[in-house]
Amino acid sequence: GRDPDELCEEVRRLSGQGVVEITLVGQTVNSYRHGTLRFADLLARLDAIAGIERIKFVSSFPNDMTDDLLQAVRDLPKVAPWLHVPAQSGSDTVLARMKRHYTVASFLEMVARARETVPGVSISGDFIVGFSGETDEDFQATCDLVRAAKFKSSFIYQYSTRPGTKAHADLPDDVPLDVKKFRNNELLAVQSE
């Protein structure tokens, strides 16, 4: 991860220019470590910078949603009580094929812990429909996860292979486009419920 002193210096500079809200961005931003400094420690250092009023971060990896991080979100006044945690699928089979390294049960446990630790927390998610080999049962499991997790919002994407990725090389894009579109609309409707 980037050097925390550099990050704090950059945020101080931005604050001096009148910036009041910062968003920390990384594919698994909450997995940040620098030596012994963890993500919760970085948030505490940024929270102390004068002039900054609001701190957000995206995207979080479910397995790294640690208790100390949730407590930081709860206790640091400038950190927004909002977690963006991509789930990607509600099917353990699809999650394993995606190499996501968590299960639906562990994801729901993380959501429950977040709600218990941070009263009123908003949780949003990302989902991919039509991933290689996704069956109707897999898709229904994703709908069930969206219902169970009660996401504030969800970003839904239709799977397409990207050249150069492991999935492109190893997994066929075998769910027809019309099925992807149907599942996309269906999941949007479940999210709206």
Side-chain angles (χ1 to χ4, degrees), residues 143-157:
C143 293
D144 292 344
L145 174 58
V146 170
R147 287 187 191 99
K150 296 181 169 58
F151 294 99
K152 177 100 176 142
S153 61
S154 290
F155 299 94
I156 301 163
Y157 305 94

Side-chain angles (χ1 to χ4, degrees), residues 120-152:
V121 69
S122 289
I123 302 173
S124 57
D126 286 345
F127 289 91
I128 294 172
V129 296
F131 191 77
S132 177
E134 182 186 66
T135 64
D136 286 339
E137 291 74 25
D138 293 326
F139 174 69
Q140 285 311 316
T142 298
C143 293
D144 292 344
L145 174 58
V146 170
R147 287 187 191 99
K150 296 181 169 58
F151 294 99
K152 177 100 176 142

Side-chain angles (χ1 to χ4, degrees), residues 22-123:
I22 60 161
T23 303
L24 302 168
V25 180
Q27 204 167 1
T28 55
V29 70
N30 62 324
S31 309
Y32 174 90
R33 282 190 99 81
H34 195 275
T36 59
L37 187 114
R38 299 156 309 162
F39 191 60
D41 304 320
L42 176 64
L43 289 176
R45 287 184 61 180
L46 296 173
D47 191 80
I49 295 173
I52 295 298
E53 294 171 17
R54 195 167 169 87
I55 301 167
K56 295 175 171 176
F57 55 92
V58 291
S59 289
S60 292
F61 187 61
N63 289 359
D64 290 328
M65 196 61 74
T66 55
D67 289 337
D68 68 306
L69 174 54
L70 291 171
Q71 288 154 9
V73 172
R74 178 192 66 203
D75 298 340
L76 295 170
K78 297 174 184 177
V79 177
W82 170 64
L83 302 170
H84 182 68
V85 196
Q88 306 299 17
S89 175
S91 159
D92 285 341
T93 312
V94 174
L95 289 172
R97 217 176 297 126
M98 289 177 170
K99 307 210 180 334
R100 294 293 294 175
H101 306 297
Y102 53 82
T103 62
V104 174
S106 68
F107 188 91
L108 286 170
E109 182 277 328
M110 179 274 305
V111 167
R113 221 165 14 90
R115 292 221 160 94
E116 197 177 301
T117 307
V118 188
V121 69
S122 289
I123 302 173

